[in-house]
Structures are given as structure tokens and as C-alpha cells.
Amino acid sequence: MLIQIATLMLSLMLLVMLHELGHYVTARWFGVRVERFFCFFDVKFAIWKKKIGDTVYGIGWLPLGGYVKLSGMIDESMDLEQMKQEPQPYEFRVKPAWQRLIIMLGGIIVNIILAMIIYAALFISQGETYVDVNKMQYGIEVDAKQEKLGLQNGDIPVGVDGIKYNSLRNINKEALLGGNTLEVKRDGKEVSLPISENFRTEILNSKSSFFIPQITFEVDSVVDNSAAQKAGLLKGDKIIAVDGFTTPLYSDFKRKLSEYKGKTVPLSVVRKGEAIELMTNVNKDGKLGFTTTSAYLNSLEVHRDYTIAEGITMGLTEPFESIATQVRGIGTLFKVKDGRKQVAGPIGMVKQMPTKWSWLFFWSFTAMISAWLAFINLLPIPGLDGGHAVFAIYEMVTGKKPSEKVLEKAQMVGVVIILALMVFIFGNDIVNMIFK
């Protein structure tokens, strides 16, 4: 849990600091005084703060974002007393509208640039790996719920809405985010299956593991004191039958073994080319206690390396692809049963983090969240950067500056909207934590 919390907190702190730095640098560039520069919110008190020059720098205790407080600006602090004073040349409100617009967009621009840099670095250093459906010999493993949706064991997903994809991950994504039909290869023919609300719900609930390739297998490692160890199973053993029932695929093996929960069953095993028979007890979960090799699954993967030029090009577009996917994902939540339960706030995000530290995950997650924060802050909601930008653009177009009363009321409306969203997200996290 500590690793999961650390991953989220470090990523958020980095993103908040750089986002606010975008506002800070552009404000200073145009001669606006920055009164406070905080990572996280310091409601009532701060974990740390220090005044350097005209600015108080600090770290708050509430990890819901961060802020810079600019002199002469109506923001979430609602410091209206300052606005009653005579305007000063170093204040935000006296600067031209185009300068105020750049200051408001500074954080968003930094988020987008950061996402581009990270994505480009990942493409150049890591390349791209995916499961190629064209290499799948045995199709996918189908459970009872999937059978009701029209899928069959051995189906090979090949496309969505008539568009063919090589990547199994992309097929999963497109089927979830708005596809109407799923095309699969079945017994050498292409079959089109309707993607219903239930279909989409099952994909969403599966957490990206809806399409599981069927694989051939052999024993990789045996758990100490398990039934597999007591039966004498060894690394490299190939289990070809359970109680005389042939099990060429791991899905066949699991399905047959589940019929013997809590019982003793004979296994036909090939060890170094020789056939042997073993007797083993099956636990109440229908398992023996061993892991399988991933050689066949690895053979389905295609890895592509990118040149520096290709990686940079991919990095420039990937933030916008990520944003589009997130927006489509939100739309999907309104189309599926109990979609609201899938909305994850900080608590839900922590639970989805890997339990072991991974720099690859950290940077991938940071890039995705950076792009998403840019989009969220660009929304024309009073209180967000996009809301302030709208007023600046309005002034540039009409030549009329909104009154401070209008700005004050708009800010209050924005604060209410943002607080309501926070209550919903945290409340949803807590409900999911209690009832799951």
C-alpha cells in the first residue's frame, strides 16, 4: 500500500508543481506579483512554508491540487478585501487581457508539453508492445458470461465496426468506448456480434482483461507445500489430460480441474518426452498450486522500436489521443449499468497502482494524468484556468472587461461546482471501498 500511495503522491506533486510553475513563470514574466505558491491546499495550516521575496512557498496537507495566488486576481481564495484597494501596477487585474490569457493558460501549456516529452521519451526508449491477433492460433478463453454475449471458445477478435486492428488491446478499447459490432474469426469465417450495454459493462468490469488468449502451457514453478508439489509435479512438466480428458490448452485444464474441487484426480503428464501418471488433490478453489510458462503468450506479442524522429512525432500526438480516450471513457460510463461506480478518485487510483515500484508505470501514469489535467483545467468552468481564460477572451473580443461583481459571482459558482465534484468522487471512492 505504501508503494501505491507513494506512486500517486509523487506523480501528483510533480504535476501540481509544474502546472503552477507555468502560472508562476508567465505571471513573473509580465510583472505580476505572486503572493503564494503552494503544492496541495493549506486549509487552516501548511505542512511547510517559507517566504522568499514577495512570495510564500509551501506544501499544504490536502492533496487535491495546488495553487499560485496572484496579486489583484479573484480566485479560489476569495480575497475580496484586496480588490477594494487602489489597483497597483504589479497586479493581475491591471494587465492587458492577452497577458492575463497567457498567464491562465501557462499551467495547461506546461501539462501538455510535459506529457509530450514523457510520451516521446517512452516511445523512443521502450517502443511499443502488443498482442497481435493475427498470431493467435487458439483464440480467446470464454467464460459463461461471455457465452451469453455470443462469444465462443476459440473466437479470434479481429475488428470493431468493420475496422480491423492488429492489437488486441485496441480491439478491447474500441469495443468498450463506442463500438456497435465486434468482428471475430470463428471456424475460418468472420462473424459479427452486437455490442450491447451488457457487453460493454462486462468489458468495463473486466479491467482490460476481457479478451484472454487461450494458451498452451507447461509447469513453470510449483508452490511450496501445495498439492502440486505433493503430487510430484516439476518445472517443465506438460499436463496433457485430467482424468482421461485431454487438456491441450490451459483453459481446458482449468475447466476440467474445477469439476474436482476437494477431490483426488489422476493427471497424465509428459516429462522429458516420457508419459507418466500422477495423483493429486484439488483444493476447494479448483487449483493445484503451480504457475505456467508464458512462452506461447510471449510469442503472440509484437514489439516495435521507434526512431528518435518517430518517437517525437508519436509524443506530439499521444497526449491528445489520451485525452480523447478519457473523454470517450466518461461517455461510456453513462451508457453502462452502474457506470458511476467505475469513477475513481485518489482512493480508487491508489488501489489500481502496482504494489511494486515501477518507473515505467510511474512515467506512463504521469504522462496520462498530465494530459488529462490540461484538459480538465481548460474546461470553461469558473474557478478553473479555462473559466478565467473565457473572461479574458471575452474582453479581447468585445473590448469590455467583466465587472468584479460578475467575476466574484462566477468564482463562487465555480467553487461550488468543483466542491460538488470532489464530494461525488471521494464519496464514490468510499462507497466502493466499503461495498467491494
Side-chain angles (χ1 to χ4, degrees), residues 76-341:
E76 60 273 5
S77 69
M78 297 304 291
D79 184 2
L80 303 180
E81 288 301 316
Q82 184 183 68
M83 305 303 293
K84 296 176 182 178
Q85 307 299 320
E86 194 69 25
Q88 301 297 319
Y90 56 77
E91 289 186 336
F92 177 81
R93 57 179 164 170
V94 304
K95 300 301 178 179
W98 67 270
Q99 292 186 6
R100 284 184 272 121
L101 177 62
I102 292 175
I103 292 171
M104 285 299 96
L105 296 180
I108 295 171
I109 293 170
V110 166
N111 278 138
I112 288 293
I113 292 175
L114 176 64
M116 288 178 173
I117 291 172
I118 295 175
Y119 276 127
L122 289 174
F123 279 120
I124 293 169
S125 64
Q126 303 296 321
E128 184 181 15
T129 301
Y130 61 89
V131 172
D132 189 343
V133 297
N134 299 305
K135 290 189 171 188
M136 292 173 63
Q137 300 177 45
Y138 310 110
I140 59 171
E141 180 181 336
V142 174
D143 60 22
K145 289 182 178 179
Q146 290 171 311
E147 285 182 356
K148 291 181 180 179
L149 298 173
L151 288 165
Q152 294 181 12
N153 242 15
D155 282 351
I156 302 175
V158 293
V160 177
D161 289 343
I163 302 174
K164 299 297 187 290
Y165 297 93
N166 293 329
S167 168
L168 187 62
R169 180 174 60 246
N170 285 343
I171 292 175
N172 188 97
K173 182 182 76 172
E174 293 302 322
L176 171 64
L177 299 182
N180 295 310
T181 60
L182 172 71
E183 284 72 53
V184 301
K185 280 186 179 179
R186 180 182 296 168
D187 299 326
K189 298 180 181 179
E190 189 171 299
V191 178
S192 183
L193 304 175
I195 300 176
S196 62
E197 178 185 329
N198 287 339
F199 203 122
R200 231 181 295 278
T201 300
E202 290 302 325
I203 297 177
L204 188 63
N205 291 336
S206 69
K207 305 296 184 184
S208 300
S209 60
F210 184 74
F211 297 121
I212 301 178
Q214 294 197 106
I215 60 172
T216 57
F217 75 105
E218 63 181 50
V219 177
D220 183 49
S221 63
V222 178
V223 178
D224 289 340
N225 299 316
S226 65
Q229 186 183 59
K230 293 174 182 177
L233 277 172
L234 301 176
K235 178 181 175 67
D237 283 353
K238 298 179 180 179
I239 302 173
I240 59 174
V242 175
D243 196 15
F245 181 85
T246 305
T247 56
L249 302 173
Y250 189 55
S251 57
D252 299 322
F253 171 75
K254 290 192 299 181
R255 192 177 301 110
K256 192 62 181 177
L257 200 66
S258 67
E259 299 175 9
Y260 295 87
K261 293 178 181 179
K263 299 178 181 179
T264 300
V265 63
L267 303 178
S268 299
V269 177
V270 173
R271 178 179 295 168
K272 295 181 180 180
E274 295 184 6
I276 61 174
E277 294 289 322
L278 298 175
M279 295 295 295
T280 183
N281 295 317
V282 183
N283 68 21
K284 61 181 181 179
D285 296 320
K287 297 180 180 179
L288 301 182
F290 68 87
T291 61
T292 63
T293 58
S294 55
Y296 173 74
L297 189 60
N298 290 341
S299 74
L300 301 181
E301 293 183 345
V302 171
H303 180 79
R304 179 183 175 184
D305 290 317
Y306 291 95
T307 64
I308 293 177
E310 289 173 333
I312 291 174
T313 301
M314 294 286 288
L316 293 176
T317 59
E318 191 62 23
F320 303 102
E321 290 284 343
S322 177
I323 291 171
T325 298
Q326 294 285 338
V327 172
R328 292 172 66 195
I330 291 175
T332 298
L333 295 180
F334 292 98
K335 299 177 183 178
V336 301
K337 183 180 180 182
D338 295 328
R340 174 190 61 80
K341 295 180 180 179

Side-chain angles (χ1 to χ4, degrees), residues 368-428:
M368 179 190 71
I369 297 298
S370 188
W372 184 240
L373 285 177
F375 173 75
I376 292 296
N377 274 285
L378 193 58
L379 294 176
I381 298 175
L384 296 179
D385 297 340
H388 293 293
V390 165
F391 287 118
I393 293 172
Y394 170 83
E395 183 181 343
M396 292 168 65
V397 173
T398 65
K400 298 178 181 179
K401 188 174 184 178
S403 69
E404 291 182 2
K405 275 291 183 184
V406 170
L407 295 176
E408 177 186 333
K409 290 180 179 179
Q411 187 69 29
M412 291 177 67
V413 170
V415 169
V416 170
I417 293 173
I418 294 169
L419 288 176
L421 286 173
M422 287 182 177
V423 169
F424 167 73
I425 291 172
F426 271 90
N428 199 57

